[in-house]
Amino acid sequence: VDKYKATAQKRRISEKNLHIFTALGGWIGAILGMQAFRHKTIKGKFLTRFWLVAGAWIVISIILLFSL
């Protein structure tokens, strides 16, 4: 949706909202969407924040997996 809005010169989804969805567990879908649509794949500041959140989810998942 954001990619379409960007090309159509319409109001876009804020990066804050994208980060919130990532933090709520949507990081896998975000990775797949970024690769499928080639969107937000170059923007350094966004990617740094994204990978910090996704990395936290990965670490938490590994800890939970091995603590069972």
Side-chain angles (χ1 to χ4, degrees), residues 29-41 47 50-51:
I31 291 172
L32 296 173
M34 286 188 326
Q35 294 305 309
F37 299 107
R38 305 309 269 163
H39 190 57
K40 297 278 189 200
T41 56
L47 287 175
F50 171 80
W51 283 112

Side-chain angles (χ1 to χ4, degrees), residues 10-60:
K10 294 186 177 194
R11 187 170 174 215
R12 300 175 60 193
I13 299 168
S14 71
E15 287 187 4
K16 178 182 174 183
N17 286 339
L18 292 173
H19 287 306
I20 288 171
F21 290 128
T22 301
L24 291 174
W27 62 275
I28 294 174
I31 291 172
L32 296 173
M34 286 188 326
Q35 294 305 309
F37 299 107
R38 305 309 269 163
H39 190 57
K40 297 278 189 200
T41 56
I42 303 173
K43 196 166 184 183
K45 190 175 180 181
F46 176 85
L47 287 175
T48 300
R49 290 180 183 159
F50 171 80
W51 283 112
L52 285 173
V53 173
W57 270 101
I58 292 168
V59 169
I60 290 167

